[in-house]
Amino acid sequence: MHARIPHHAAPLMAVCLACAALLAAPASAVPIAVQDPDGKPVPTVMVSRQPVNMAAVDTSDNGYPASGQQQQAYVELARFTDARGQVDIPPAEFPWKIRLRKPGYKDRTLLAKELGSTAVVMAPEHDPAALAEQQPANAWSSTIDFANATLKKEFMLQCNFCHQQGGPQLRRERSADEWRAAIQRMMRYGSRLSSQEQKEIPALLEAHWKKIHANPSLVPAGTPWGASLAKATIRELPIGDSMSQMHDLLLHSNGMVYVGDNLQDRVYEVDPATGRYTVYKIPPRPGDKLGGLLAGRLRDFPKHETYQGIHSLAESPKDGHIFITPSYQRRLIEFDPKTKAFIYHDMDGGFYPHTVRFDAKNRVWFTLALSNQVGMYDRAADKFTFYDLPFRSLMERITVKLTPFIFKLLGWGIPIANYVNVDHVSTGVPLPYGIDITPDGKAWIARLHTDEIASVDPDTGKVTMVKTPFSAPRRLRSDREGNLWITAFNESQIVRYTPSTGAFMRLDLPVVPKGSDTPYALNVDRVRNQVWVNGTNSDSVYRYDIATQTWSMFPMQRHVTFTRDVEISPAGKVYVTSASFPSWQIEDGQPTLIEITPQ
């Protein structure tokens, strides 16, 4: 059954002066030199060009732009000083300022008019508490010691799902009772922290953070910023607000970046070159309830318009249409970038459509996280096919089959997740997660809670399970040779799997302290033979060069930059979104689309 809802875009706003200026010839770059108080150059300083005031955008639709109305955001930009402490910053067409940031030094902010021919002086920071505050979340979370490495990994897996551990909101002092209440709320949101940890961790966290705040010098330094950053440019575009969750994104062949707001059922169509964007609100179907099939999940969240729960996006290789997984419904949503129409494809099986990809035959493949399945939608035949993954036990089979009843209880406000016993391996929630298609046409899946990957042969329907020698395979991508690159979320690693030999190669992220990051997803630049990885807990993005076996790290401008997916342009630009849930934990409460140009 399909329903087409045409989207009648309102007339575009008049082109503003800022838009016209963007098309004008660029002015000369502003040279900036940075020194310490002794007159020595300070290299690898992040010099951020920021607007004095945020761009005025429409907020007429419950705080968001009216659907179909073009907006103009101000593009922020960051570059890094070279070995001489120097960098050029392009001027903006709006009132701007610069912020200078480098761990070990005090932040400095100056208006553009205050910049002159003399060097900007950055003073070293000596206060232990201030030095600790400069460090990313992974440095703080590395100090957590439960005297049990396995329990620490489980904690990072289940409690780093949606936001950082060790970030400002998650490292503040709380009583054991406050931690217990927070954990109960996270269990309702979907965490599967074991019952044992639910009992033990609150007191451990209370004691730990009290100790750290009394002794901030115990927080180690994060990953050093490398000299090669002087070649990089990072641009950011503010979209949404502190109540948004900019989950996954898609770089379309039309040059636009499409971002799904998971909490507000809106798709952002962004021109990354100019900062212009248009929001399209996905209308609910008749009978859809707020919160969809998981209506009780966000009952106490301050503000959301979630009927669909936009999760992942993929582009058709045939007609450029975008398919979206709405995790709170049993359907796929198709979006035509030309007509702006949404088309609904209802399905009679599966729960929680998750990550989505296309194969070369224009078939849509997606994981069904809560029904332990993989789905395939054949557009030509207008037919869904579901592939069941094996269960670990009879009890797990029963639990998954009871999913519709569990959803009803949640909708009635019964927090059943707080009442059931949860073991250390999340029995009952195998959680098929990431998916990608290899050049031979097979669909490969990462099953997060069972430490397995799986393949589906579309010709025979055969499902093959492969046990991984690491825990928490989250998302995966294929390279040009058909190898799979997989994030090992709570292992702080990425892993290459070669299907032809069955061999796994594990690679530690170059994070400091070692093992302290949680890579959420990755993508492969098949042209340059590089792997780009989310540094979810470290406010960074990593690049691994396959040929030279070398790593690079790119720090982000905002603390609490929790990213979830990676897109790569033909020119080698990389796109991520700051997707913390909730977004108010981000340094200034502002989610952004981020573009990294390595050099």
Side-chain angles (χ1 to χ4, degrees), residues 113-140:
K113 64 183 180 182
E114 296 177 295
L115 298 172
S117 59
T118 58
V120 179
V121 176
M122 288 188 76
E125 181 62 77
H126 300 292
D127 178 62
L131 286 168
E133 288 294 331
Q134 293 179 347
Q135 304 309 319
N138 69 292
W140 289 77

Side-chain angles (χ1 to χ4, degrees), residues 4-9 67-68 250 252 254 256-259 266-270 278-283 313-316 319-325 332-345 358 379:
R4 179 184 292 268
I5 298 182
H7 196 104
H8 301 293
S67 192
L250 169 71
H252 197 276
N254 64 12
M256 296 291 190
V257 177
Y258 293 83
V259 184
R266 288 167 169 83
V267 173
Y268 286 67
E269 181 184 62
V270 184
T278 305
V279 178
Y280 297 99
K281 187 174 182 179
I282 302 181
L313 307 91
E315 179 185 355
S316 163
D319 57 16
H321 287 199
I322 298 170
F323 272 68
I324 302 166
T325 46
L332 295 178
I333 299 176
E334 180 180 353
F335 177 67
D336 185 339
K338 294 181 179 179
T339 67
K340 316 303 181 186
F342 291 99
I343 306 167
Y344 298 93
H345 302 276
F358 269 90
R379 297 182 70 194

Side-chain angles (χ1 to χ4, degrees), residues 17 55 102 108 253 278 331 356 361 366 378 440 485 523 526 528 530 545 548 554 580:
L17 293 175
K102 179 174 180 171
R108 258 205 95 175
S253 59
T278 305
R331 63 179 65 128
V356 61
K361 296 183 179 180
F366 55 100
D378 188 324
D440 62 2
W485 292 84
N523 205 346
R526 295 185 179 184
R528 295 158 194 84
Q530 297 172 337
D545 188 278
T548 63
F554 299 85
S580 181

